[in-house]
Amino acid sequence: MRIDLEFQPGDRSKPAVIFIHGLGMDKNLWSSPCEARIGGGLFPFNLLMRKRPERVILPSRPEIKPEILTVGTSPPWLATAYHDLQKEAYPLVTWSQRRPVAPVDFAVEELKALVDFTSNMTDKDIILVGHSRGGLIGRRYIETHERDKKRISALITVATPHRGSTMAEWVKYFSIAGTLLEPFLKYLSELSDEVTVGKVLKALRRISDFFRSEAIRELLPDSPFIKSLKPLDGIRTFSLAGTDPHLFSLYRWRMQKEDHHYILTPEEIFSFPGSIIPLLPERLIPPEWIPGRGDGLVALDSADFGEVSFKFNLNHGKILTDEEARACIVKIIREVSTGGEVSLH
C-alpha cells in the first residue's frame, strides 16, 4: 500500500504520535496548515482563521481599488501541535487519506498500515490525535484491531462528533442552498462575468457533491456507524471541543471621502452561520451553530469524550492552531508519556 505520508523520526525514547485529518482534508492540516484545504479541496483552511480587515486611510483617491468582496485578513503563519511536538523531538507521522470522503473504514485500514510503520520509529507506545472525523477514524481503529491495542496508549480527539453531527442533516436541505446563499451571491453580480458565474456554479456543484457523500451520511447522529461505536477499554482517551460557531465572514469595501482623505472601510455583508440562522425555522437551527454549544460544525455535547474533556471558545478550525489548545494537546501527551494524571487545571 502506497500512502502519501509525512514523518519526523524524533527521539525513539519518546512515544510516537500519529495525526489524523478530518473529512475532505489532507495531511497539510497538521503539518502545513497554511497550505491545507477543506470542503473536498474547495476552500483554503485558513478561511476559518480570517480576521476583519483593517480600515485604510489614504491621502488621495486611489487609482487602484481592492476587490469588492473579501473574506478578511489571512494569518501569515499557522502552527499546530504537530510543530510543537516536532520541537520536542517526538516521532511524528501524518498522512493524506487516499479517499478522504469515503466511509471511515477505508481510512481505518490505512491507519493500520501507519501504526505498523510508526512502531518502527519508537521504543514506546503510540498516541493517536484526530481532528473532526479523524478522531472517529482513530476510535474505530482501536475498536476493530484488538491485537494492536497494546501499541496504542492514548487517543486524543479534537472537535470530533462522537455522537454524530446534526450538520449532516443539511444533506436533506441542500436544495435550498441558493436561497440561503442569496444574501451574498447577489453581490457577486457586481463583479461577475460569464466566467465568474460559471465558476460559482461549479463550486456550488462541488459543495453539493461533498455534502451528499456517503461519508457525510455516516456522521448523522442516527447513522448505523455512529450507533455502532463502543466505549474504549484499556486506552486513555481525551477530547478538546470548541464553543464558537462563527466560521467566516464576507466583507464589502466601501470608500468615502472625509476632509482631504479617502477612507476604505470593510462592511460585513454575510457571516456563516450567523446570516443564515435568521432565515431558518427554530427547529432547523443545529446546536453546532449556537454560541456556547458548538464550534460551527460539531456540537459541544458530541465532542465530549474520554476521561477529561477540554472546552475552548474557538471554532472548528481555530482549535487546531490556537496556542492554548495546542499547549493542551502537548500537555496531555507529556502526561500520558509519564503515566501522569491529566486534569482541567
Side-chain angles (χ1 to χ4, degrees):
M1 180 186 299
R2 186 173 295 277
I3 295 178
D4 178 18
L5 63 85
E6 182 167 334
F7 63 95
Q8 305 290 334
D11 184 346
R12 293 186 60 87
S13 67
K14 295 185 176 184
V17 184
I18 298 177
F19 289 89
I20 313 168
H21 68 74
L23 181 64
M25 303 180 190
D26 60 27
K27 66 181 182 182
N28 287 331
L29 181 76
W30 290 106
S31 61
S32 303
C34 285
E35 300 175 19
R37 302 191 71 81
I38 58 177
L42 191 59
F43 306 106
F45 173 64
N46 68 21
L47 176 68
L48 307 182
M49 319 292 171
R50 301 295 179 100
K51 295 181 179 180
R52 186 186 186 94
E54 297 285 340
R55 188 176 69 152
V56 179
I57 301 177
L58 302 171
S60 60
R61 185 179 183 87
E63 294 184 7
I64 299 177
K65 299 178 183 178
E67 292 179 308
I68 294 176
L69 301 179
T70 177
V71 289
T73 304
S74 175
W77 166 249
L78 293 172
T80 69
Y82 183 95
H83 303 94
D84 301 323
L85 293 169
Q86 184 179 1
K87 292 178 182 177
E88 298 190 16
Y90 281 83
L92 307 175
V93 174
T94 187
W95 91 102
S96 294
Q97 296 158 30
R98 292 188 296 174
R99 296 179 61 184
V101 295
V104 163
D105 287 341
F106 284 91
V108 166
E109 290 310 304
E110 294 178 11
L111 180 55
K112 170 69 169 75
L114 262 292
V115 170
D116 292 340
F117 173 85
T118 306
S119 295
N120 296 315
M121 297 171 58
T122 180
D123 297 325
K124 302 291 186 179
D125 296 329
I126 295 171
I127 297 171
L128 304 179
V129 182
H131 173 248
S132 196
R133 192 182 77 140
L136 296 178
I137 293 170
R139 183 174 173 178
R140 188 63 144 190
Y141 165 75
I142 296 170
E143 280 185 10
T144 56
H145 293 77
E146 186 69 28
R147 287 185 296 179
D148 287 349
K149 267 191 176 181
K150 62 181 181 297
R151 297 197 283 185
I152 309 297
S153 58
L155 169 66
I156 303 170
T157 64
V158 184
T160 291
H162 291 279
R163 295 163 189 81
S165 173
T166 58
M167 282 297 295
E169 291 282 356
W170 277 67
V171 172
K172 301 175 183 177
Y173 307 118
F174 198 85
S175 61
I176 63 172
T179 301
L180 299 180
L181 298 175
E182 186 176 346
F184 75 90
L185 284 180
K186 67 179 182 179
Y187 290 100
L188 289 177
S189 62
E190 299 180 24
L191 69 160
S192 295
D193 52 23
E194 290 185 5
V195 174
T196 303
V197 171
K199 289 181 178 178
V200 171
L201 293 175
K202 183 178 180 180
L204 289 175
R205 282 194 294 269
R206 288 183 63 183
I207 295 172
S208 178
D209 291 342
F210 177 73
F211 275 99
R212 292 178 186 277
S213 68
E214 181 61 32
I216 288 285
R217 292 189 179 91
E218 202 172 46
L219 297 180
L220 286 166
D222 60 352
S223 73
F225 170 74
I226 292 295
K227 288 184 174 181
S228 72
L229 293 173
K230 302 177 178 61
L232 297 182
D233 299 321
I235 300 288
R236 301 191 68 180
T237 53
F238 308 89
S239 61
L240 281 70
T243 59
D244 179 8
H246 176 73
L247 296 177
F248 70 90
S249 293
L250 187 67
Y251 305 91
R252 177 174 60 178
W253 286 106
R254 287 194 176 277
M255 186 173 70
Q256 63 187 82
K257 183 179 181 181
E258 288 188 8
D259 297 328
H260 301 293
H261 296 89
Y262 288 84
I263 302 176
L264 290 170
T265 304
E267 175 189 49
E268 184 180 83
I269 60 173
F270 179 83
S271 70
F272 185 83
S275 295
I276 295 179
I277 290 175
L279 304 176
L280 298 176
E282 186 175 353
R283 64 183 176 82
L284 293 184
I285 300 174
E288 291 86 349
W289 289 3
I290 300 175
R293 292 182 58 189
D295 66 6
L297 295 178
V298 176
L300 176 63
D301 291 346
S302 186
D304 184 3
F305 178 73
E307 60 184 81
V308 185
S309 182
F310 299 86
K311 293 190 298 183
F312 299 90
N313 188 32
L314 301 166
N315 71 22
H316 194 71
K318 288 182 179 178
I319 198 168
L320 288 181
T321 61
D322 176 79
E323 289 187 11
E324 186 179 358
R326 286 160 40 197
C328 179
I329 294 175
V330 173
K331 175 185 176 182
I332 293 171
I333 290 172
R334 287 175 183 156
E335 294 298 332
V336 169
S337 302
T338 60
E341 291 296 320
V342 178
S343 69
L344 291 171
H345 305 291

PDB file of all heavy atoms in Angstrom, residues 288-319:
ATOM      1  N   GLU A 288     -24.840  23.023  16.725  1.00  0.00           N
ATOM      2  CA  GLU A 288     -23.476  23.378  16.314  1.00  0.00           C
ATOM      3  C   GLU A 288     -23.348  24.877  16.024  1.00  0.00           C
ATOM      4  O   GLU A 288     -22.245  25.425  16.038  1.00  0.00           O
ATOM      5  CB  GLU A 288     -23.088  22.597  15.059  1.00  0.00           C
ATOM      6  CG  GLU A 288     -22.906  21.105  15.279  1.00  0.00           C
ATOM      7  CD  GLU A 288     -24.198  20.313  15.169  1.00  0.00           C
ATOM      8  OE1 GLU A 288     -25.296  20.923  15.117  1.00  0.00           O
ATOM      9  OE2 GLU A 288     -24.121  19.074  15.152  1.00  0.00           O
ATOM     10  N   TRP A 289     -24.462  25.551  15.730  1.00  0.00           N
ATOM     11  CA  TRP A 289     -24.449  26.964  15.361  1.00  0.00           C
ATOM     12  C   TRP A 289     -24.809  27.903  16.513  1.00  0.00           C
ATOM     13  O   TRP A 289     -24.879  29.114  16.325  1.00  0.00           O
ATOM     14  CB  TRP A 289     -25.434  27.203  14.212  1.00  0.00           C
ATOM     15  CG  TRP A 289     -24.977  26.641  12.912  1.00  0.00           C
ATOM     16  CD1 TRP A 289     -23.846  25.921  12.666  1.00  0.00           C
ATOM     17  CD2 TRP A 289     -25.658  26.741  11.660  1.00  0.00           C
ATOM     18  NE1 TRP A 289     -23.769  25.554  11.342  1.00  0.00           N
ATOM     19  CE2 TRP A 289     -24.876  26.045  10.700  1.00  0.00           C
ATOM     20  CE3 TRP A 289     -26.844  27.333  11.254  1.00  0.00           C
ATOM     21  CZ2 TRP A 289     -25.241  25.953   9.367  1.00  0.00           C
ATOM     22  CZ3 TRP A 289     -27.219  27.238   9.928  1.00  0.00           C
ATOM     23  CH2 TRP A 289     -26.423  26.559   8.996  1.00  0.00           C
ATOM     24  N   ILE A 290     -25.040  27.363  17.673  1.00  0.00           N
ATOM     25  CA  ILE A 290     -25.444  28.178  18.819  1.00  0.00           C
ATOM     26  C   ILE A 290     -24.216  28.497  19.675  1.00  0.00           C
ATOM     27  O   ILE A 290     -23.512  27.576  20.115  1.00  0.00           O
ATOM     28  CB  ILE A 290     -26.502  27.444  19.658  1.00  0.00           C
ATOM     29  CG1 ILE A 290     -27.744  27.164  18.797  1.00  0.00           C
ATOM     30  CG2 ILE A 290     -26.879  28.269  20.893  1.00  0.00           C
ATOM     31  CD1 ILE A 290     -28.790  26.329  19.498  1.00  0.00           C
ATOM     32  N   PRO A 291     -23.913  29.781  19.913  1.00  0.00           N
ATOM     33  CA  PRO A 291     -22.739  30.141  20.733  1.00  0.00           C
ATOM     34  C   PRO A 291     -22.766  29.430  22.088  1.00  0.00           C
ATOM     35  O   PRO A 291     -23.799  29.368  22.757  1.00  0.00           O
ATOM     36  CB  PRO A 291     -22.893  31.657  20.905  1.00  0.00           C
ATOM     37  CG  PRO A 291     -23.636  32.095  19.682  1.00  0.00           C
ATOM     38  CD  PRO A 291     -24.619  30.982  19.406  1.00  0.00           C
ATOM     39  N   GLY A 292     -21.620  28.878  22.440  1.00  0.00           N
ATOM     40  CA  GLY A 292     -21.501  28.141  23.686  1.00  0.00           C
ATOM     41  C   GLY A 292     -21.872  26.683  23.583  1.00  0.00           C
ATOM     42  O   GLY A 292     -21.572  25.895  24.493  1.00  0.00           O
ATOM     43  N   ARG A 293     -22.498  26.306  22.456  1.00  0.00           N
ATOM     44  CA  ARG A 293     -22.942  24.919  22.306  1.00  0.00           C
ATOM     45  C   ARG A 293     -22.302  24.194  21.118  1.00  0.00           C
ATOM     46  O   ARG A 293     -22.520  22.996  20.935  1.00  0.00           O
ATOM     47  CB  ARG A 293     -24.463  24.868  22.144  1.00  0.00           C
ATOM     48  CG  ARG A 293     -25.227  25.281  23.395  1.00  0.00           C
ATOM     49  CD  ARG A 293     -26.722  25.167  23.181  1.00  0.00           C
ATOM     50  NE  ARG A 293     -27.115  23.805  22.800  1.00  0.00           N
ATOM     51  CZ  ARG A 293     -28.343  23.486  22.388  1.00  0.00           C
ATOM     52  NH1 ARG A 293     -29.276  24.426  22.295  1.00  0.00           N
ATOM     53  NH2 ARG A 293     -28.635  22.241  22.054  1.00  0.00           N
ATOM     54  N   GLY A 294     -21.526  24.913  20.317  1.00  0.00           N
ATOM     55  CA  GLY A 294     -20.913  24.255  19.174  1.00  0.00           C
ATOM     56  C   GLY A 294     -19.827  25.087  18.542  1.00  0.00           C
ATOM     57  O   GLY A 294     -19.693  26.286  18.821  1.00  0.00           O
ATOM     58  N   ASP A 295     -19.041  24.457  17.674  1.00  0.00           N
ATOM     59  CA  ASP A 295     -17.912  25.137  17.020  1.00  0.00           C
ATOM     60  C   ASP A 295     -18.208  25.469  15.562  1.00  0.00           C
ATOM     61  O   ASP A 295     -17.311  25.752  14.785  1.00  0.00           O
ATOM     62  CB  ASP A 295     -16.648  24.284  17.119  1.00  0.00           C
ATOM     63  CG  ASP A 295     -16.731  22.968  16.335  1.00  0.00           C
ATOM     64  OD1 ASP A 295     -17.719  22.742  15.606  1.00  0.00           O
ATOM     65  OD2 ASP A 295     -15.790  22.158  16.444  1.00  0.00           O
ATOM     66  N   GLY A 296     -19.487  25.419  15.179  1.00  0.00           N
ATOM     67  CA  GLY A 296     -19.874  25.671  13.798  1.00  0.00           C
ATOM     68  C   GLY A 296     -20.155  24.411  13.025  1.00  0.00           C
ATOM     69  O   GLY A 296     -20.998  24.396  12.129  1.00  0.00           O
ATOM     70  N   LEU A 297     -19.460  23.324  13.376  1.00  0.00           N
ATOM     71  CA  LEU A 297     -19.647  22.048  12.685  1.00  0.00           C
ATOM     72  C   LEU A 297     -19.921  20.885  13.625  1.00  0.00           C
ATOM     73  O   LEU A 297     -20.520  19.887  13.224  1.00  0.00           O
ATOM     74  CB  LEU A 297     -18.422  21.722  11.819  1.00  0.00           C
ATOM     75  CG  LEU A 297     -18.152  22.669  10.640  1.00  0.00           C
ATOM     76  CD1 LEU A 297     -16.884  22.240   9.902  1.00  0.00           C
ATOM     77  CD2 LEU A 297     -19.331  22.702   9.675  1.00  0.00           C
ATOM     78  N   VAL A 298     -19.459  20.992  14.872  1.00  0.00           N
ATOM     79  CA  VAL A 298     -19.630  19.907  15.843  1.00  0.00           C
ATOM     80  C   VAL A 298     -20.163  20.494  17.150  1.00  0.00           C
ATOM     81  O   VAL A 298     -19.639  21.494  17.649  1.00  0.00           O
ATOM     82  CB  VAL A 298     -18.303  19.158  16.102  1.00  0.00           C
ATOM     83  CG1 VAL A 298     -18.476  18.103  17.193  1.00  0.00           C
ATOM     84  CG2 VAL A 298     -17.811  18.502  14.814  1.00  0.00           C
ATOM     85  N   ALA A 299     -21.201  19.873  17.704  1.00  0.00           N
ATOM     86  CA  ALA A 299     -21.773  20.334  18.966  1.00  0.00           C
ATOM     87  C   ALA A 299     -20.885  19.952  20.132  1.00  0.00           C
ATOM     88  O   ALA A 299     -20.186  18.938  20.112  1.00  0.00           O
ATOM     89  CB  ALA A 299     -23.170  19.731  19.154  1.00  0.00           C
ATOM     90  N   LEU A 300     -20.917  20.794  21.179  1.00  0.00           N
ATOM     91  CA  LEU A 300     -20.113  20.554  22.370  1.00  0.00           C
ATOM     92  C   LEU A 300     -20.418  19.194  22.976  1.00  0.00           C
ATOM     93  O   LEU A 300     -19.509  18.443  23.340  1.00  0.00           O
ATOM     94  CB  LEU A 300     -20.372  21.670  23.385  1.00  0.00           C
ATOM     95  CG  LEU A 300     -19.689  21.547  24.747  1.00  0.00           C
ATOM     96  CD1 LEU A 300     -18.172  21.597  24.588  1.00  0.00           C
ATOM     97  CD2 LEU A 300     -20.162  22.663  25.677  1.00  0.00           C
ATOM     98  N   ASP A 301     -21.697  18.857  23.089  1.00  0.00           N
ATOM     99  CA  ASP A 301     -22.073  17.572  23.687  1.00  0.00           C
ATOM    100  C   ASP A 301     -21.542  16.390  22.884  1.00  0.00           C
ATOM    101  O   ASP A 301     -21.200  15.352  23.455  1.00  0.00           O
ATOM    102  CB  ASP A 301     -23.600  17.464  23.795  1.00  0.00           C
ATOM    103  CG  ASP A 301     -24.180  18.416  24.831  1.00  0.00           C
ATOM    104  OD1 ASP A 301     -23.400  18.956  25.639  1.00  0.00           O
ATOM    105  OD2 ASP A 301     -25.406  18.641  24.814  1.00  0.00           O
ATOM    106  N   SER A 302     -21.474  16.545  21.572  1.00  0.00           N
ATOM    107  CA  SER A 302     -20.993  15.463  20.725  1.00  0.00           C
ATOM    108  C   SER A 302     -19.480  15.305  20.803  1.00  0.00           C
ATOM    109  O   SER A 302     -18.948  14.198  20.680  1.00  0.00           O
ATOM    110  CB  SER A 302     -21.415  15.712  19.271  1.00  0.00           C
ATOM    111  OG  SER A 302     -21.093  14.616  18.456  1.00  0.00           O
ATOM    112  N   ALA A 303     -18.773  16.409  21.019  1.00  0.00           N
ATOM    113  CA  ALA A 303     -17.305  16.369  21.072  1.00  0.00           C
ATOM    114  C   ALA A 303     -16.777  15.906  22.420  1.00  0.00           C
ATOM    115  O   ALA A 303     -15.599  15.562  22.545  1.00  0.00           O
ATOM    116  CB  ALA A 303     -16.740  17.749  20.745  1.00  0.00           C
ATOM    117  N   ASP A 304     -17.629  15.890  23.437  1.00  0.00           N
ATOM    118  CA  ASP A 304     -17.226  15.491  24.789  1.00  0.00           C
ATOM    119  C   ASP A 304     -16.997  13.986  24.839  1.00  0.00           C
ATOM    120  O   ASP A 304     -17.903  13.194  24.618  1.00  0.00           O
ATOM    121  CB  ASP A 304     -18.329  15.901  25.768  1.00  0.00           C
ATOM    122  CG  ASP A 304     -17.958  15.613  27.220  1.00  0.00           C
ATOM    123  OD1 ASP A 304     -16.831  15.146  27.470  1.00  0.00           O
ATOM    124  OD2 ASP A 304     -18.808  15.844  28.093  1.00  0.00           O
ATOM    125  N   PHE A 305     -15.768  13.589  25.150  1.00  0.00           N
ATOM    126  CA  PHE A 305     -15.434  12.162  25.105  1.00  0.00           C
ATOM    127  C   PHE A 305     -14.189  11.908  25.949  1.00  0.00           C
ATOM    128  O   PHE A 305     -13.246  12.708  25.962  1.00  0.00           O
ATOM    129  CB  PHE A 305     -15.175  11.735  23.657  1.00  0.00           C
ATOM    130  CG  PHE A 305     -14.784  10.292  23.486  1.00  0.00           C
ATOM    131  CD1 PHE A 305     -15.715   9.275  23.627  1.00  0.00           C
ATOM    132  CD2 PHE A 305     -13.476   9.940  23.184  1.00  0.00           C
ATOM    133  CE1 PHE A 305     -15.367   7.946  23.462  1.00  0.00           C
ATOM    134  CE2 PHE A 305     -13.107   8.614  23.012  1.00  0.00           C
ATOM    135  CZ  PHE A 305     -14.057   7.615  23.154  1.00  0.00           C
ATOM    136  N   GLY A 306     -14.176  10.793  26.672  1.00  0.00           N
ATOM    137  CA  GLY A 306     -12.967  10.382  27.369  1.00  0.00           C
ATOM    138  C   GLY A 306     -12.925  10.784  28.828  1.00  0.00           C
ATOM    139  O   GLY A 306     -13.877  11.323  29.393  1.00  0.00           O
ATOM    140  N   GLU A 307     -11.765  10.539  29.429  1.00  0.00           N
ATOM    141  CA  GLU A 307     -11.634  10.780  30.869  1.00  0.00           C
ATOM    142  C   GLU A 307     -11.604  12.260  31.217  1.00  0.00           C
ATOM    143  O   GLU A 307     -12.032  12.661  32.298  1.00  0.00           O
ATOM    144  CB  GLU A 307     -10.392  10.076  31.431  1.00  0.00           C
ATOM    145  CG  GLU A 307      -9.066  10.498  30.831  1.00  0.00           C
ATOM    146  CD  GLU A 307      -7.909   9.677  31.389  1.00  0.00           C
ATOM    147  OE1 GLU A 307      -7.685   8.541  30.904  1.00  0.00           O
ATOM    148  OE2 GLU A 307      -7.238  10.165  32.321  1.00  0.00           O
ATOM    149  N   VAL A 308     -11.091  13.107  30.301  1.00  0.00           N
ATOM    150  CA  VAL A 308     -11.108  14.552  30.508  1.00  0.00           C
ATOM    151  C   VAL A 308     -11.431  15.232  29.182  1.00  0.00           C
ATOM    152  O   VAL A 308     -10.870  14.884  28.143  1.00  0.00           O
ATOM    153  CB  VAL A 308      -9.756  15.095  31.030  1.00  0.00           C
ATOM    154  CG1 VAL A 308      -9.872  16.585  31.337  1.00  0.00           C
ATOM    155  CG2 VAL A 308      -9.295  14.341  32.271  1.00  0.00           C
ATOM    156  N   SER A 309     -12.362  16.190  29.217  1.00  0.00           N
ATOM    157  CA  SER A 309     -12.712  16.947  28.021  1.00  0.00           C
ATOM    158  C   SER A 309     -12.448  18.430  28.270  1.00  0.00           C
ATOM    159  O   SER A 309     -12.887  18.980  29.282  1.00  0.00           O
ATOM    160  CB  SER A 309     -14.187  16.727  27.661  1.00  0.00           C
ATOM    161  OG  SER A 309     -14.529  17.413  26.478  1.00  0.00           O
ATOM    162  N   PHE A 310     -11.733  19.073  27.364  1.00  0.00           N
ATOM    163  CA  PHE A 310     -11.360  20.477  27.489  1.00  0.00           C
ATOM    164  C   PHE A 310     -12.205  21.323  26.535  1.00  0.00           C
ATOM    165  O   PHE A 310     -12.399  20.955  25.375  1.00  0.00           O
ATOM    166  CB  PHE A 310      -9.882  20.667  27.170  1.00  0.00           C
ATOM    167  CG  PHE A 310      -8.957  19.907  28.081  1.00  0.00           C
ATOM    168  CD1 PHE A 310      -8.633  18.583  27.813  1.00  0.00           C
ATOM    169  CD2 PHE A 310      -8.415  20.511  29.205  1.00  0.00           C
ATOM    170  CE1 PHE A 310      -7.783  17.876  28.655  1.00  0.00           C
ATOM    171  CE2 PHE A 310      -7.564  19.812  30.051  1.00  0.00           C
ATOM    172  CZ  PHE A 310      -7.246  18.491  29.781  1.00  0.00           C
ATOM    173  N   LYS A 311     -12.681  22.468  27.011  1.00  0.00           N
ATOM    174  CA  LYS A 311     -13.500  23.368  26.197  1.00  0.00           C
ATOM    175  C   LYS A 311     -12.726  24.649  25.889  1.00  0.00           C
ATOM    176  O   LYS A 311     -12.052  25.201  26.749  1.00  0.00           O
ATOM    177  CB  LYS A 311     -14.800  23.723  26.930  1.00  0.00           C
ATOM    178  CG  LYS A 311     -15.756  22.568  27.128  1.00  0.00           C
ATOM    179  CD  LYS A 311     -17.092  23.051  27.635  1.00  0.00           C
ATOM    180  CE  LYS A 311     -16.977  23.716  28.995  1.00  0.00           C
ATOM    181  NZ  LYS A 311     -18.312  24.116  29.529  1.00  0.00           N
ATOM    182  N   PHE A 312     -12.870  25.112  24.650  1.00  0.00           N
ATOM    183  CA  PHE A 312     -12.223  26.348  24.213  1.00  0.00           C
ATOM    184  C   PHE A 312     -13.223  27.171  23.407  1.00  0.00           C
ATOM    185  O   PHE A 312     -13.990  26.616  22.617  1.00  0.00           O
ATOM    186  CB  PHE A 312     -10.995  26.046  23.340  1.00  0.00           C
ATOM    187  CG  PHE A 312      -9.925  25.264  24.046  1.00  0.00           C
ATOM    188  CD1 PHE A 312      -9.938  23.873  24.022  1.00  0.00           C
ATOM    189  CD2 PHE A 312      -8.924  25.919  24.741  1.00  0.00           C
ATOM    190  CE1 PHE A 312      -8.964  23.146  24.685  1.00  0.00           C
ATOM    191  CE2 PHE A 312      -7.935  25.193  25.406  1.00  0.00           C
ATOM    192  CZ  PHE A 312      -7.960  23.808  25.374  1.00  0.00           C
ATOM    193  N   ASN A 313     -13.201  28.482  23.592  1.00  0.00           N
ATOM    194  CA  ASN A 313     -14.091  29.360  22.830  1.00  0.00           C
ATOM    195  C   ASN A 313     -13.503  29.596  21.443  1.00  0.00           C
ATOM    196  O   ASN A 313     -13.044  30.693  21.108  1.00  0.00           O
ATOM    197  CB  ASN A 313     -14.292  30.682  23.568  1.00  0.00           C
ATOM    198  CG  ASN A 313     -15.361  31.542  22.903  1.00  0.00           C
ATOM    199  OD1 ASN A 313     -16.317  31.033  22.330  1.00  0.00           O
ATOM    200  ND2 ASN A 313     -15.184  32.851  22.958  1.00  0.00           N
ATOM    201  N   LEU A 314     -13.497  28.540  20.652  1.00  0.00           N
ATOM    202  CA  LEU A 314     -12.864  28.544  19.335  1.00  0.00           C
ATOM    203  C   LEU A 314     -13.773  27.819  18.349  1.00  0.00           C
ATOM    204  O   LEU A 314     -14.581  26.971  18.737  1.00  0.00           O
ATOM    205  CB  LEU A 314     -11.505  27.845  19.382  1.00  0.00           C
ATOM    206  CG  LEU A 314     -10.463  28.429  20.337  1.00  0.00           C
ATOM    207  CD1 LEU A 314      -9.306  27.456  20.528  1.00  0.00           C
ATOM    208  CD2 LEU A 314      -9.935  29.763  19.801  1.00  0.00           C
ATOM    209  N   ASN A 315     -13.591  28.123  17.049  1.00  0.00           N
ATOM    210  CA  ASN A 315     -14.379  27.417  16.047  1.00  0.00           C
ATOM    211  C   ASN A 315     -13.676  26.120  15.627  1.00  0.00           C
ATOM    212  O   ASN A 315     -12.616  25.757  16.155  1.00  0.00           O
ATOM    213  CB  ASN A 315     -14.701  28.318  14.853  1.00  0.00           C
ATOM    214  CG  ASN A 315     -13.499  28.640  13.976  1.00  0.00           C
ATOM    215  OD1 ASN A 315     -12.493  27.935  13.954  1.00  0.00           O
ATOM    216  ND2 ASN A 315     -13.605  29.724  13.221  1.00  0.00           N
ATOM    217  N   HIS A 316     -14.279  25.457  14.660  1.00  0.00           N
ATOM    218  CA  HIS A 316     -13.845  24.112  14.268  1.00  0.00           C
ATOM    219  C   HIS A 316     -12.412  24.082  13.729  1.00  0.00           C
ATOM    220  O   HIS A 316     -11.742  23.048  13.814  1.00  0.00           O
ATOM    221  CB  HIS A 316     -14.812  23.567  13.215  1.00  0.00           C
ATOM    222  CG  HIS A 316     -14.686  22.100  12.974  1.00  0.00           C
ATOM    223  ND1 HIS A 316     -15.079  21.156  13.888  1.00  0.00           N
ATOM    224  CD2 HIS A 316     -14.215  21.401  11.898  1.00  0.00           C
ATOM    225  CE1 HIS A 316     -14.858  19.944  13.408  1.00  0.00           C
ATOM    226  NE2 HIS A 316     -14.336  20.064  12.206  1.00  0.00           N
ATOM    227  N   GLY A 317     -11.954  25.185  13.169  1.00  0.00           N
ATOM    228  CA  GLY A 317     -10.600  25.234  12.633  1.00  0.00           C
ATOM    229  C   GLY A 317      -9.601  25.843  13.594  1.00  0.00           C
ATOM    230  O   GLY A 317      -8.473  25.343  13.747  1.00  0.00           O
ATOM    231  N   LYS A 318      -9.982  26.919  14.251  1.00  0.00           N
ATOM    232  CA  LYS A 318      -9.049  27.618  15.149  1.00  0.00           C
ATOM    233  C   LYS A 318      -8.579  26.750  16.305  1.00  0.00           C
ATOM    234  O   LYS A 318      -7.508  26.976  16.867  1.00  0.00           O
ATOM    235  CB  LYS A 318      -9.708  28.887  15.700  1.00  0.00           C
ATOM    236  CG  LYS A 318      -9.852  30.005  14.679  1.00  0.00           C
ATOM    237  CD  LYS A 318     -10.470  31.243  15.308  1.00  0.00           C
ATOM    238  CE  LYS A 318     -10.594  32.374  14.291  1.00  0.00           C
ATOM    239  NZ  LYS A 318     -11.234  33.576  14.877  1.00  0.00           N
ATOM    240  N   ILE A 319      -9.363  25.739  16.669  1.00  0.00           N
ATOM    241  CA  ILE A 319      -8.976  24.881  17.782  1.00  0.00           C
ATOM    242  C   ILE A 319      -7.687  24.106  17.476  1.00  0.00           C
ATOM    243  O   ILE A 319      -7.014  23.634  18.373  1.00  0.00           O
ATOM    244  CB  ILE A 319     -10.131  23.911  18.133  1.00  0.00           C
ATOM    245  CG1 ILE A 319      -9.936  23.340  19.537  1.00  0.00           C
ATOM    246  CG2 ILE A 319     -10.274  22.808  17.082  1.00  0.00           C
ATOM    247  CD1 ILE A 319     -11.157  22.617  20.079  1.00  0.00           C
TER     248      ILE A 319
END
